[in-house]
């Protein structure tokens, strides 16, 4: 690996802004904000809008904005009915 061209890789804490869930991971991201982790060490804190704790795919709380399928939408648009 060539020296001096890669960003520093270190442990950081990511916090989900919507749920408060925190997890530690390796990253090149940095932050002025820090937090003390469960192991007693202080790590940079990166706030994220969504994580596995709040994402609908992982929580199972998916919102379906469109219940009908493509065929139903086509039929509604062009006036075809199944009655």
């Amino acid at each position: 690996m060539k020296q001096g061209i890669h960003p520093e890789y270190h442990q950081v804490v990511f916090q989900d802004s919507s749920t408060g869930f925190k997890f530690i991971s390796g990253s090149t991201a940095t932050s002025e904000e820090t937090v003390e982790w469960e192991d007693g060490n202080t790590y940079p804190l990166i706030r994220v809008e969504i994580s596995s704790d709040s994402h609908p795919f992982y929580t199972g709380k998916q919102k379906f904005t469109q219940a009908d399928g493509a065929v139903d939408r086509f039929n509604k648009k062009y006036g075809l009915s199944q009655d």
Side-chain angles (χ1 to χ4, degrees):
M1 186 163 71
K2 191 171 182 180
Q3 297 297 322
I5 64 168
H6 300 285
E8 181 186 343
Y9 185 79
H10 53 275
Q11 297 292 318
V12 296
V13 174
F14 291 94
Q15 181 178 9
D16 189 322
S17 298
S18 60
T19 64
F21 175 70
K22 296 178 188 175
F23 61 95
I24 191 166
S25 180
S27 177
T28 58
T30 59
S31 173
E32 297 294 322
E33 194 173 6
T34 61
V35 65
E36 187 172 326
W37 190 245
E38 300 160 353
D39 62 5
N41 294 326
T42 302
Y43 298 101
L45 176 66
I46 307 292
R47 295 184 187 274
V48 293
E49 291 182 20
I50 196 161
S51 71
S52 61
D53 195 52
S54 62
H55 193 280
F57 179 78
Y58 296 103
T59 61
K61 298 177 183 173
Q62 294 181 347
K63 295 179 182 177
F64 295 103
T65 57
Q66 205 158 27
D68 53 343
V71 173
D72 291 330
R73 287 193 310 267
F74 178 85
N75 289 339
K76 280 183 186 177
K77 184 174 182 178
Y78 295 105
L80 302 175
S81 66
Q82 296 176 349
D83 296 333

